[in-house]
Amino acid sequence: MTTRTKGARARILTALGFGFFIDSAEDVALPMLFPAVRNSLGLNYAALSVINSIRIIFQTFSGPFWGMAADRYNRKWILVIGTGIWGVWTLVCGLVTSYWQLLAVRVIACLGLGCLYPAAFSMLADVFGPRQRGKAMGTISAIGMFGIVAGAFAFGELLSIPDVGWRWAFILLGLASILSGLVIAVLVRDPVRGGAEPELEAVITEEAAAQFRFQIADVRQVLRCKTVWVNFIQGIFVMTPINALSAFFVTWLVDDRGFSEADAPMIFGGIVIALAVGSLVGGLVADWADERWARYGRIAVSQVSIAVALPAMWYLLTRAFTLGPILAFALIAGFFLDWTRRGVKQPLVQNVVRPELRSTAMALTEFFQGAVASVIIILFGNFADRFGLNRTLLILVCGFWAVALVVTVAYYFVYPPEARRLRAAMEERREIIVGR
């Protein structure tokens, strides 16, 4: 690896990492602040479900448009617009005075946030090779998770300010989002598409890559990919538990386990540290497994991580009532929670989809699984109001994870042949470039 390549990787990881840091804090801001927002605006569980899930739906709905734009145009400026300039709407969330105002502003804010994952997903795949993508996704995710940790502790402190603490939290988040856009503008140079493919890294140039430029008709190739469809389906049962915990865990600590509004975000922040470390470790383990068993290694890592997290979360929701057991089993579940998404699902898609289609593939995946998972959580928000939050989380987390464990088996049949086809296509592309 050249010094130039190392420098490009470092700059992209630093800039995107900061973007993920702020974006992750943004994702959990409302759930963490909800007990205070609820008291200020007079809301209930169903209102939290609607606001949080509508946010995810509109964020994922905008994702395919951002994804196709990122595949077609300069990804750096897509990110500056979506993560930086759009941050002003997060700031405005701190100024609302009613439920409907909050809902409307959150929808607008999240239309811009849909750009980060597709563009970053594609960009990282162009500077990290197939055997390093778990580490790349795990690293960027871990940095993002520390944004949740920082947000949890900052939110906990701000909530000690009566009445207006939650407002200052949104205002400061908006300013930080604008700053992240500036960091990306200064540090990032859009890498050549396909630059990290083993067959192309020595021959690819901007001019050569341009002949394989994204066309709207190419979206059909993404939709014909069986690995992507397994990703869609498994993602529903993986993302629903993650979204449910993100939306309700702090409120569950307050309402079901009796912790204070200021202490619950602190506890959640401590647990997210395990999630961040686990995300990085999961990416490294998945890369190691992929190197040892290229056909099935990542898939097996997914199954193992779900099989460990599932009983830990069941015990947390049914048997843990004091701080010690809650922390112990939440830390175990949190450590393994994100292994499948970062070390397995995302690298599998990167390894079967052509470079100029990866932003679109990521956006469609996020759209499909995020939208379905969000609708489910909206329905279960009403269920929580009627039957209790603990029972709702038991179904959404443990029940859905059990299904995800079974669905993972489908990867064994569809991923290996599609990964081989991509490698063959990249070899053909090399011959085209060299033969010019």
Side-chain angles (χ1 to χ4, degrees):
M1 185 193 311
T2 66
T3 302
R4 183 178 178 182
T5 301
K6 290 181 179 178
R9 286 184 175 183
R11 289 191 298 273
I12 286 175
L13 279 177
T14 299
L16 293 183
F18 185 57
F20 271 74
F21 184 91
I22 303 303
D23 183 73
S24 296
E26 163 84 15
D27 281 346
V28 299
L30 184 61
M32 286 187 181
L33 299 169
F34 183 71
V37 176
R38 173 180 59 189
N39 293 336
S40 179
L41 301 182
L43 309 181
N44 57 17
Y45 290 144
L48 173 60
S49 292
V50 171
I51 294 175
N52 200 60
S53 297
I54 288 292
R55 173 193 69 82
I56 297 170
I57 289 172
F58 275 84
Q59 184 172 333
T60 53
F61 178 79
S62 68
F65 298 98
W66 287 114
M68 288 185 282
D71 277 332
R72 179 78 178 179
Y73 304 109
N74 189 294
R75 290 167 289 190
K76 167 183 174 175
W77 297 112
I78 295 291
L79 288 168
V80 170
I81 294 169
T83 66
I85 297 173
W86 229 276
V88 68
W89 291 106
T90 299
L91 185 154
V92 173
C93 287
L95 307 178
V96 302
T97 58
S98 71
Y99 165 73
W100 291 108
Q101 288 179 7
L102 179 59
L103 178 62
V105 173
R106 289 292 284 172
V107 166
I108 297 171
C110 293
L111 287 174
L113 291 174
C115 82
L116 179 59
Y117 279 90
F121 176 82
S122 172
M123 207 177 265
L124 288 171
D126 287 334
V127 292
F128 288 91
R131 298 287 167 80
Q132 300 171 316
R133 288 168 181 162
K135 177 180 71 174
M137 299 308 300
T139 299
I140 211 78
S141 176
I143 295 171
M145 295 302 172
F146 280 108
I148 297 178
V149 175
F153 286 103
F155 297 153
E157 289 297 319
L158 288 169
L159 286 175
S160 64
I161 304 174
D163 301 325
V164 297
W166 67 271
R167 296 183 181 277
W168 278 109
F170 280 116
I171 292 170
L172 293 173
L173 265 178
L175 293 173
S177 183
I178 295 170
L179 178 60
S180 74
L182 293 175
V183 171
I184 291 171
V186 171
L187 292 184
V188 171
R189 182 178 184 275
D190 199 14
V192 178
R193 298 178 199 273
E197 301 304 316
E199 300 85 359
L200 303 180
E201 57 185 351
V203 299
I204 195 73
T205 63
E206 290 281 1
E207 181 184 8
Q211 65 182 305
F212 308 108
R213 194 177 183 185
F214 169 84
Q215 302 292 332
I216 190 68
D218 293 337
V219 175
R220 288 177 294 183
Q221 295 186 26
V222 176
L223 296 175
R224 285 199 294 263
C225 181
K226 295 176 183 177
T227 300
V228 170
W229 278 101
V230 176
N231 231 272
F232 287 170
I233 297 168
Q234 191 211 34
I236 294 171
F237 297 101
V238 168
M239 290 305 301
T240 297
I242 292 174
N243 289 343
L245 290 170
S246 174
F248 290 115
F249 191 78
V250 169
T251 303
W252 175 78
L253 287 172
V254 172
D255 292 355
D256 280 72
R257 295 301 187 260
F259 292 95
S260 71
E261 293 180 3
D263 288 341
M266 301 289 191
I267 296 170
F268 185 62
I271 293 168
V272 173
I273 293 176
L275 184 64
V277 174
S279 185
L280 177 58
V281 172
L284 292 171
V285 171
D287 282 349
W288 170 82
D290 185 61
E291 189 169 355
R292 293 288 299 273
W293 306 284
R295 290 164 59 87
Y296 307 123
R298 292 191 191 275
I299 305 166
V301 168
S302 174
Q303 289 182 304
V304 170
S305 66
I306 296 172
V308 174
L310 179 56
M313 188 55 69
W314 176 84
Y315 190 95
L316 173 67
L317 294 171
T318 61
R319 297 290 186 270
F321 295 96
T322 59
L323 181 60
I326 287 173
L327 278 177
F329 285 92
L331 289 172
I332 294 170
F335 182 78
F336 289 99
L337 180 66
D338 219 24
W339 282 36
T340 287
R341 181 166 53 157
R342 303 306 186 194
V344 181
K345 285 170 58 61
Q346 293 173 349
L348 290 184
V349 172
Q350 289 170 329
N351 291 346
V352 299
V353 174
R354 286 163 30 197
E356 65 274 13
L357 295 174
R358 286 172 179 155
S359 291
T360 301
M362 177 64 172
L364 290 173
T365 300
E366 291 287 310
F367 169 74
F368 184 86
Q369 65 192 25
V372 175
S374 298
V375 170
I376 292 171
I377 291 177
I378 289 175
L379 297 175
F380 273 86
N382 294 300
F383 185 92
D385 281 327
R386 184 174 180 182
F387 297 105
L389 187 54
N390 196 78
R391 182 184 295 182
T392 302
L393 287 176
L394 194 61
I395 296 171
L396 286 178
V397 176
C398 297
F400 276 60
W401 264 343
V403 177
L405 184 61
V406 175
V407 172
T408 305
V409 174
Y411 282 122
Y412 287 109
F413 301 97
V414 300
Y415 170 71
E418 292 187 332
R420 287 195 301 271
R421 282 198 290 272
L422 180 68
R423 299 271 58 87
M426 293 300 98
E427 185 59 42
E428 291 177 7
R429 188 168 292 189
R430 173 187 171 84
E431 293 174 4
I432 293 172
I433 294 171
V434 173
R436 291 183 64 195

